[in-house]
């Protein structure tokens, strides 16, 4: 699976088609003795089958895939009034709505995990130098500014440039370390400048102890 993700993430990589399958366009993916079949849906690659290479054996992955697909085509034609004109049928291997729903859930979980890590790193970087630190995400830019003075309260601000749904904003604010997620207030300016039209910002106070722990992280 890692090899498939790596190979199909590279837009410049060439893909070799599995010629023995003619009802869908499937591509080969190889990793040592492992072989896989990848089907793409609107540029999203799905690894729909995998097995091991066994040259000259009917158990070889690509040979077994063709045999199974031919048998599936025969079964389909025997049970449907409109027969398939292709020699193979891999429809049962393709992702269904449950697979797509699961992909969306996993993508959401990955985004939350990546956001949480980015928020912490940006806050830590800003604590070190007192300047805003920012990172780009597919639909928006996230900036965090944390300013702490000895004996004074620690100021934290979050800036977002771009269109972000409210539930995602809540996720970002919830993961700023040492800040009460219910205590953020909308801002109309950052400490050094007003907000631009495409920007949103919020501020609150960070727990000084949490700020000290964050600052001292390796």
């Amino acid at each position: 699976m890692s090899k498939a993700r790596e190979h199909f993430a590279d837009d410049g990589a060439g893909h070799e088609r599995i010629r023995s399958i003619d009802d869908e366009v499937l591509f080969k993916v190889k990793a040592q003795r492992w072989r896989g079949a990848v089907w793409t849906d609107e540029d999203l690659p799905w690894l729909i089958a995998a097995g091991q290479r066994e040259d000259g054996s009917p158990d070889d992955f690509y040979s077994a895939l063709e045999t199974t697909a031919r048998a599936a085509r025969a079964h389909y034609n025997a049970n449907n009034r409109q027969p398939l004109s292709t020699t193979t049928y891999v429809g049962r291997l393709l992702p269904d709505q449950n697979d797509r729903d699961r992909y969306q859930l996993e993508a959401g979980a990955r985004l939350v995990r990546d956001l949480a890590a980015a928020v912490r790193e940006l806050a830590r970087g800003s604590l070190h130098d007192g300047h805003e630190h920012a990172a780009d995400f597919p639909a928006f830019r996230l900036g965090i500014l944390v300013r702490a003075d000895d004996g004074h309260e620690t100021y934290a601000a979050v800036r977002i440039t771009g269109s972000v749904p409210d539930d995602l904003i809540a996720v970002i604010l919830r993961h700023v370390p040492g800040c009460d997620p219910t205590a953020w207030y909308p801002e109309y300016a950052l400490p050094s400048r007003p907000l631009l039209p495409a920007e949103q910002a919020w501020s609150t106070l960070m727990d000084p102890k949490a700020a000290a722990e964050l600052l001292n992280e390796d």
Side-chain angles (χ1 to χ4, degrees), residues 130-132 145 147 155 189-195:
H131 298 292
E132 179 183 333
L145 173 64
R147 290 183 172 175
Y155 168 87
L190 294 171
S192 59
R193 64 172 177 84
L195 293 180

Side-chain angles (χ1 to χ4, degrees), residues 63-95:
S63 296
L65 179 65
E66 179 184 1
T67 299
T68 302
R70 285 179 176 272
R73 180 258 189 190
H75 183 268
Y76 181 97
N77 284 355
N79 291 277
N80 290 273
R81 296 181 61 183
Q82 185 66 36
L84 298 172
S85 60
T86 57
T87 60
T88 61
Y89 176 62
V90 295
R92 64 183 183 82
L93 299 177
L94 302 184

